[in-house]
Amino acid sequence: MEGRSFAKRVCDAVKLIPEGKVATYRAVARCAGNPRAARAAGNTLHRNPFRTVPCHRVVRSDGSVGGFARGSGVKAALLKEEGIAIHRKKVAPEYILYHLDAHAASH
DNA sequence: ACTATGACTCCCA
DNA sequence: GTGGGAGCCATAG
């Protein structure tokens, strides 16, 4: 398990986010093993061409859509398609998962 | 090994 | 609500 880089664990964490829901960079970082590495987590998603994970479901702690390699507008559009209400670049708190784990998908 | 980078977050004016 | 500054961290060069 230790051989897996932080990036790999971030990838796995993001995959746990169910459709129609979003998680904060912090939640992802925490699930990846470092609660304080939210910045690094976002950095990883940005630099890596991860199309194998729903990276658009990761937002900022305040609900802001945040950034996206292809433009935040695209990110917001993708979220809307999943039925997530967005008002002025912000996701409603009810869609946000502040605690991400294998149980998150169950809800 | 060191420096720079950035899709973050917190705190205060 | 907005904006600037500092702290934090993994990864790339």
Side-chain angles (χ1 to χ4, degrees):
Chain A
M1 295 309 191
E2 317 314 316
R4 304 195 321 178
S5 62
F6 178 78
K8 191 77 175 186
R9 293 192 294 266
V10 166
C11 188
D12 289 341
V14 175
K15 287 184 199 167
L16 294 177
I17 307 172
E19 187 176 320
K21 289 274 187 177
V22 300
T24 64
Y25 287 96
R26 217 203 216 163
V28 172
R30 186 147 71 87
C31 188
N34 293 45
R36 292 172 175 165
R39 198 171 191 176
N43 207 349
T44 296
L45 293 176
H46 177 213
R47 306 187 79 116
N48 284 281
F50 284 147
R51 297 167 209 201
T52 58
V53 300
C55 49
H56 60 278
R57 291 185 195 148
V58 187
V59 301
R60 296 178 63 168
S61 64
D62 65 346
S64 299
V65 173
F68 200 61
R70 298 157 62 196
S72 59
V74 176
K75 185 172 180 178
L78 287 171
L79 293 174
K80 286 182 181 177
E81 285 183 25
E82 296 190 358
I84 297 174
I86 298 180
H87 186 53
R88 293 210 272 239
K89 296 299 182 190
K90 288 208 177 175
V91 176
E94 55 207 56
Y95 296 103
I96 305 175
L97 297 174
Y98 291 94
H99 185 65
L100 188 60
D101 56 43
H103 227 288
S106 305
H107 179 290

